Amino acid sequence: MGSEVDAPAVDSTKVVNGCLSNDKKVTVVFVLGGPGSGKGTQCANIVKYFGFTHLSAGDLLRAEIKSGSENGTMIQNMIKEGKIVPSEVTVKLLQRAMQESRNNKFLIDGFPRNEENRAAFEKVTGIKPEFVLFFNCSEEEMEKRLLSRNEGRVDDNNETIRKRFKVFVESSIPVIEYYDAKSKVRKVDAGKSIDEVFEAVKSIFTPAN
């Protein structure tokens, strides 16, 4: 309805590759940090204070599997076979969640995990993140947190924790470096207390007047 009238003003990257429909302008912030860096806690605070919608690629994949859809079955089979779910599949789930949301501000948590994810997100959606919120925390501190909370996770022992750190460094740090070169990384010292970390987060999200 009336989209023909608006068409000339539309940025072409928003319309190709099935991008967000209705020329929905969105603000996307990628949230990255190692296991135990406190991303989840701070994302909940940002949602509450700044009205963002929190999207987790892992949660969306699990929900799709649970839905029993054809796509979900394909994802489940890939995971069972130890294969990596293609970046485009994950990106399309994120894209759909953004389209279906009434909000236009999104925190995308734990994604992109690697350079391939990053390239696929920008190519499929035509969206570049506003910035990357990076929770920087020492491995000693993250290990201490993971071991103390344990959260019923069988994989939270020293050996598997260190493997998870290694994967994060090898896969996600190049993504942070890529955006850092574009001055798009906002680094937070995540080794401090929850309240202190959130004070730093607030100063990043509060526009300077």
Side-chain angles (χ1 to χ4, degrees):
M1 314 260 303
S3 58
E4 295 297 320
V5 183
D6 299 335
V10 171
D11 171 358
S12 62
T13 57
K14 297 279 180 223
V15 238
V16 296
N17 297 326
C19 297
L20 296 193
S21 57
N22 315 326
D23 188 34
K24 181 175 177 176
K25 291 273 187 191
V26 296
T27 298
V28 166
V29 173
F30 289 147
V31 183
L32 294 175
S37 60
K39 289 193 291 61
T41 304
Q42 297 301 336
C43 280
N45 283 336
I46 296 164
V47 166
K48 200 160 47 173
Y49 271 78
F50 296 102
F52 275 72
T53 292
H54 178 211
L55 297 177
S56 152
D59 288 351
L60 289 171
L61 286 165
R62 283 186 284 275
E64 190 68 13
I65 290 168
K66 219 172 175 180
S67 76
S69 71
E70 205 176 314
N71 200 27
T73 307
M74 181 267 289
I75 294 166
Q76 189 170 28
N77 290 338
M78 291 195 80
I79 292 169
K80 268 187 195 157
E81 289 165 24
K83 293 178 182 166
I84 290 171
V85 178
S87 296
E88 294 218 350
V89 171
T90 309
V91 169
K92 281 181 177 155
L93 289 176
L94 287 164
Q95 187 180 34
R96 187 174 75 194
M98 289 191 283
Q99 281 171 335
E100 290 173 354
S101 170
R102 291 184 178 174
N103 203 349
N104 64 349
K105 300 191 297 186
F106 299 96
L107 292 176
I108 299 187
D109 178 6
F111 184 93
R113 281 180 183 274
N114 53 40
E115 269 292 289
E116 193 206 353
N117 280 176
R118 179 199 65 70
F121 184 86
E122 292 192 6
K123 178 177 169 246
V124 172
T125 65
I127 296 166
K128 288 182 167 47
E130 196 72 13
F131 58 86
V132 175
L133 185 61
F134 173 37
F135 289 100
N136 192 25
C137 195
S138 71
E139 291 193 1
E140 292 76 18
E141 177 61 28
M142 291 192 286
E143 187 172 334
K144 200 167 77 183
R145 290 176 185 178
L146 289 169
L147 290 170
S148 66
R149 72 183 188 197
N150 209 319
E151 289 183 348
R153 285 184 68 147
V154 192
D155 61 347
D156 276 351
N157 62 53
N158 296 65
E159 195 185 333
T160 40
I161 284 169
R162 288 192 186 129
K163 275 186 192 155
R164 286 165 70 196
F165 290 156
K166 189 168 182 283
V167 168
F168 175 75
V169 169
E170 287 172 0
S171 305
S172 301
I173 294 297
V175 175
I176 291 161
E177 287 169 346
Y178 172 87
Y179 285 117
D180 200 25
K182 296 179 178 296
S183 305
K184 281 196 165 196
V185 173
R186 309 287 179 269
K187 196 184 283 191
V188 174
D189 178 357
K192 296 181 175 176
S193 72
I194 290 172
D195 289 344
E196 285 175 309
V197 172
F198 190 53
E199 281 309 310
V201 168
K202 275 203 285 202
S203 67
I204 290 167
F205 280 85
T206 307
N209 293 321

